[in-house]
């Protein structure tokens, strides 16, 4: 009997790493996870109240306008104009999370065999989306400061290149790119007639004087810039799956086709939650930043005890710390042994396309006391493992 097989292009797409780590954690009870990139706080109480009222209305249970409720799109546009100061000429599209926004963007701007430039360490779902779309991720390895060079990016542009992707504040490194660097990359894309996809899911999470800049604010950016935003982190709404993107107007017809086929519309109760969250504004997220900053500093100070066993990326954004490890073990082996032998979970750097042994620590997902306990286990585990080789 001949059994049909999966699409060939999917065989080279990596399996979702969070599922693999979660399976290991379940096999080793008592493990503390520094793996999942979520905020530890819940949504605003007013958001939950607004959704509670909304779901009692008949219209909450039907279909909505494909690219988002007009009230939500208007609220997002008002925020983008006031805070991000995007160049005029974009359209807002509401998506079921910014991951979906990225995937739909790739489908809208590429044909099979086209290339998308990713800066390693990249966000792993971006690499997966490019592969699923039957395109080729062109990976640019960054230097020890994890800051992209426009000249190095330009050297990777070919006639098949359709986009350059940046993530700032960065997942997985926590690095925040400067305004001048992002403008240079945006203008590079304009010169070559390619898109700049700017993932800004962590826009409010900046520390130690770092400042977020939206690439779409670069003069003339609106015709070639796709800007991605999320409520998952800022408002503690990861499970609500709600994001939005600012796209060039000429892409709207293509994105409408993709959105209608892929999801029809983001869930209406989630859109109601987003309308209320945006009315509350960034102050909700910012009240948690001093606490997160204290945890960030605690993690950095704690890791400094390990000296030459590792190098720490200059993390001033998001809620991640990225470590280059001085070892001949693979990133996966290190992470598996940390779970099995030391009951602490982190994410292997190879998942993010990083070529040297490395791990990502997420410090935003637990209260400070739990992070402190996990950090003790991580520090002890790394000291043992890295000194064995």
């Amino acid at each position: 009997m001949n059994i049909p097989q999966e699409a060939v292009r999917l065989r080279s797409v990596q399996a979702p790493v969070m599922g693999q780590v979660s399976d290991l954690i379940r096999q080793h009870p008592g493990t503390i996870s520094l793996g999942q990139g979520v905020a530890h706080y819940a949504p605003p109480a007013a958001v939950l109240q607004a959704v509670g009222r909304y779901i009692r209305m008949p219209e909450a249970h039907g279909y909505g306008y494909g690219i988002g409720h007009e009230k939500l799109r208007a609220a997002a546009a008002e925020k983008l104009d006031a805070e991000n100061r995007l160049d005029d000429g974009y359209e807002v599209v509401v998506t079921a999370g910014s991951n979906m926004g990225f995937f739909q963007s790739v489908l809208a701007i590429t044909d099979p065999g086209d290339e998308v430039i990713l800066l390693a360490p990249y966000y792993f779902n971006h690499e997966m989306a490019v592969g699923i779309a039957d395109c080729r991720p062109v990976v640019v390895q960054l230097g020890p400061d994890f800051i992209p060079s426009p000249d190095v990016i330009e050297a990777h542009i070919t006639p098949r290149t359709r986009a350059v992707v940046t993530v700032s504040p960065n997942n997985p490194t926590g690095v925040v790119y400067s305004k001048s660097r992002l403008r240079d990359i945006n203008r590079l894309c304009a010169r070559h007639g390619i898109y700049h996809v700017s993932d800004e899911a962590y826009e409010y999470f900046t520390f130690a004087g770092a400042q977020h800049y939206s690439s779409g604010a670069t003069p003339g950016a609106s015709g070639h810039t796709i800007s991605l935003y999320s409520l998952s982190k800022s408002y503690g709404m990861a499970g609500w799956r709600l994001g939005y993107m600012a796209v060039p107007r000429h892409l709207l017809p293509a994105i409408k086709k993709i959105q209608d086929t892929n999801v029809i519309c983001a869930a209406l109760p989630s859109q109601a939650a987003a309308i209320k969250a945006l009315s509350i504004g960034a102050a909700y997220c910012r009240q948690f930043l001093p606490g997160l900053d204290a945890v960030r500093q605690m993690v950095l100070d704690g890791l400094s005890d390990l000296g030459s066993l590792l190098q720490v990326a200059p993390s001033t954004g998001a809620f991640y710390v990225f470590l280059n490890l001085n070892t001949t073990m693979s990133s996966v082996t290190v992470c598996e042994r940390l779970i099995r032998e030391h009951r602490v979970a982190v994410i292997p750097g190879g998942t993010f396309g990083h070529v040297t042994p490395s791990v990502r620590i997420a410090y935003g997902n637990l209260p400070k006391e739990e992070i402190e306990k996990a950090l003790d286990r991580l520090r002890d585990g790394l000291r043992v493992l890295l000194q064995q080789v």
Side-chain angles (χ1 to χ4, degrees):
M1 179 179 179
N2 292 325
I3 300 175
Q5 300 297 307
E6 78 278 8
V8 172
R9 70 181 184 280
L10 290 175
R11 295 175 189 171
S12 61
V13 175
Q14 64 172 302
V17 68
M18 293 312 306
Q20 298 175 59
V21 172
S22 296
D23 288 343
L24 269 175
I25 291 173
R26 281 193 292 271
Q27 294 165 21
H28 297 84
T31 297
I32 304 175
S33 178
L34 298 176
Q36 189 76 58
V38 295
H40 69 272
Y41 51 84
V47 166
L48 305 181
Q49 294 164 4
V51 174
R53 291 190 297 269
Y54 179 73
I55 61 175
R56 290 192 285 270
M57 301 177 183
E59 59 265 31
H61 309 290
Y63 292 117
Y65 183 44
I67 60 173
H69 193 289
E70 286 301 325
K71 188 173 180 181
L72 176 52
R73 294 179 67 217
E78 182 178 352
K79 175 262 182 187
L80 292 172
D81 290 344
E83 295 184 13
N84 305 91
R85 302 188 181 280
L86 297 192
D87 184 55
D88 290 338
Y90 67 86
E91 292 283 351
V92 172
V93 177
V94 176
T95 61
S98 65
N99 262 18
M100 177 169 284
F102 181 82
F103 190 38
Q104 294 183 167
S105 298
V106 171
L107 293 176
I109 66 177
T110 65
D111 289 307
D114 282 344
E115 297 172 352
V116 176
I117 292 178
L118 304 178
L119 310 177
Y122 49 64
Y123 174 44
F124 54 80
N125 279 141
H126 288 171
E127 188 262 352
M128 293 169 70
V130 172
I132 291 170
D134 205 14
C135 295
R136 189 171 83 90
V138 175
V139 179
V140 176
Q141 296 291 335
L142 302 183
D145 60 358
F146 296 110
I147 300 294
S149 162
D151 291 340
V152 174
I153 293 172
E154 188 167 29
H156 288 76
I157 294 175
T158 75
R160 297 305 301 265
T161 304
R162 297 295 288 151
V164 174
V165 181
T166 59
V167 183
S168 180
N170 187 260
N171 176 11
T173 66
V175 171
V176 181
Y177 303 159
S178 69
K179 175 180 177 179
S180 60
R181 188 56 51 97
L182 286 167
R183 282 193 163 194
D184 287 345
I185 294 171
N186 193 270
R187 289 166 176 156
L188 169 68
C189 292
R191 288 199 306 274
H192 285 271
I194 59 179
Y195 291 97
H196 182 181
V197 182
S198 176
D199 186 329
E200 302 173 34
Y202 299 91
E203 59 181 325
Y204 296 139
F205 296 89
T206 57
F207 311 104
Q211 293 186 334
H212 167 67
Y213 176 73
S214 292
S215 298
T218 305
S222 63
H224 66 280
T225 307
I226 299 170
S227 304
L228 306 174
Y229 301 92
S230 173
L231 276 74
S232 294
K233 279 58 176 182
S234 302
Y235 296 95
M237 292 173 56
W240 294 83
R241 306 314 306 132
L242 201 290
Y244 57 97
M245 55 183 179
V247 303
R249 287 189 176 131
H250 67 265
L251 285 180
L252 198 57
I255 288 175
K256 283 182 176 180
K257 296 175 187 178
I258 298 164
Q259 179 116 322
D260 188 71
T261 302
N262 195 15
V263 70
I264 299 180
C265 67
L268 297 187
S270 294
Q271 293 195 52
I275 291 169
K276 187 62 180 179
L278 289 178
S279 75
I280 295 170
Y284 182 75
C285 173
R286 290 190 171 120
Q287 68 181 307
F288 299 104
L289 295 185
L292 281 169
D293 191 20
V295 172
R296 179 188 71 92
Q297 195 59 57
M298 179 183 74
V299 172
L300 294 175
D301 290 344
L303 293 170
S304 67
D305 294 346
L306 298 178
S308 62
L309 294 176
L310 50 80
Q311 294 83 45
V312 184
S315 173
T316 56
F319 32 66
Y320 304 111
V321 173
F322 196 80
L323 311 178
N324 279 328
L325 308 177
N326 292 334
T327 180
T328 58
M329 284 189 289
S330 71
S331 301
V332 171
T333 299
V334 171
C335 291
E336 288 178 348
R337 291 189 63 182
L338 283 171
I339 293 173
R340 291 194 177 104
E341 300 170 21
H342 300 278
R343 295 299 190 270
V344 61
V346 291
I347 304 299
T351 295
F352 307 96
H354 196 50
V355 294
T356 59
S358 50
V359 298
R360 186 196 77 176
I361 300 167
Y363 60 81
N365 60 336
L366 295 169
K368 183 179 180 181
E369 296 74 20
E370 282 294 292
I371 297 290
E372 192 168 16
K373 187 188 303 183
L375 179 61
D376 288 340
R377 296 184 186 185
L378 177 64
R379 187 171 50 231
D380 292 345
L382 289 175
R383 184 178 288 112
V384 170
L385 294 177
L386 301 182
Q387 290 179 342
Q388 286 180 354
V389 181

